[in-house]
Amino acid sequence: MILKIFTFCIFILGLSSIANASENNFYDKGKKLFDEEKYDESKFQFERSIVYNPKHSNSYLYLGKIFKIEKNTKEEEKNINTALLLDPKNEEAMYILIDLELERSNFSKVQDLKKDFKKICNTLCEKLTSIDTRLKDFEKKDASW
């Protein structure tokens, strides 16, 4: 009886590690295809990654990037928001969301997001200058109207 339970536990652990390997493999394939600009194929791999691990924030991030390329703002925003929900410190997702709000001229939202971005930035801090410049450019356009 104990041997059966032990064997069952080993079996379950094996399935778990296979599922993790598959999820990582799909993400890795998707990233490689994305880098090769094969967006339809990479989208499929990121979606497969999410099936195996619905909490894989980088798969949502890359889906958001693909939808940006496809000019599907609704799906882009949905996936970026999901990436941030799963990983609130994802600098790249935060920057993409700021970019979306700048395109909408939602300056108050950009200011709020910029404050959050300042708190989490490690590798993309230079983007703060770009955000400030774009905000000033929009304000100048607004003032000229």
Side-chain angles (χ1 to χ4, degrees):
M1 178 68 172
I2 293 175
L3 183 61
K4 286 182 181 181
I5 292 172
F6 179 74
T7 305
F8 181 72
C9 288
I10 297 295
F11 176 74
I12 295 298
L13 288 173
L15 285 180
S16 174
S17 64
I18 289 170
N20 262 348
S22 294
E23 172 260 314
N24 287 334
N25 194 26
F26 293 134
Y27 172 77
D28 292 341
K29 283 181 186 176
K31 176 80 170 69
K32 182 177 182 289
L33 291 164
F34 181 87
D35 292 342
E36 295 170 359
E37 299 180 5
K38 298 177 180 176
Y39 301 120
D40 286 337
E41 296 169 50
S42 67
K43 184 192 305 184
F44 180 67
Q45 294 301 317
F46 293 129
E47 289 169 342
R48 290 177 77 184
S49 172
I50 290 168
V51 167
Y52 281 95
N53 182 0
K55 295 182 180 180
H56 194 266
S57 64
N58 280 333
S59 291
Y60 290 101
L61 172 68
Y62 276 91
L63 283 173
K65 289 178 175 189
I66 292 167
F67 286 118
K68 181 177 185 75
I69 291 164
E70 294 176 350
K71 299 187 183 335
N72 185 341
T73 307
K74 182 178 177 183
E75 288 299 315
E76 174 190 4
E77 183 176 19
K78 183 176 86 173
N79 280 280
I80 294 302
N81 279 324
T82 302
L84 281 169
L85 180 66
L86 296 170
D87 180 9
K89 294 183 179 183
N90 188 321
E91 294 176 63
E92 196 170 3
M94 179 72 73
Y95 182 73
I96 291 169
L97 187 58
I98 289 170
D99 190 52
L100 275 168
E101 295 301 339
L102 278 168
E103 289 174 10
R104 292 182 179 140
S105 301
N106 190 348
F107 305 125
S108 61
K109 181 72 174 174
V110 171
Q111 291 291 358
D112 292 341
L113 289 170
K114 189 176 104 173
K115 288 176 191 172
D116 293 339
F117 187 73
K118 279 183 182 180
K119 293 176 190 174
I120 65 167
C121 78
N122 285 319
T123 58
L124 297 177
C125 293
E126 77 280 355
K127 298 287 189 183
L128 286 166
T129 306
S130 167
I131 294 166
D132 286 334
T133 302
R134 290 178 64 195
L135 271 172
K136 287 176 186 172
D137 289 346
F138 281 120
E139 289 170 358
K140 286 178 188 174
K141 287 179 186 175
D142 257 5
S144 67
W145 285 99

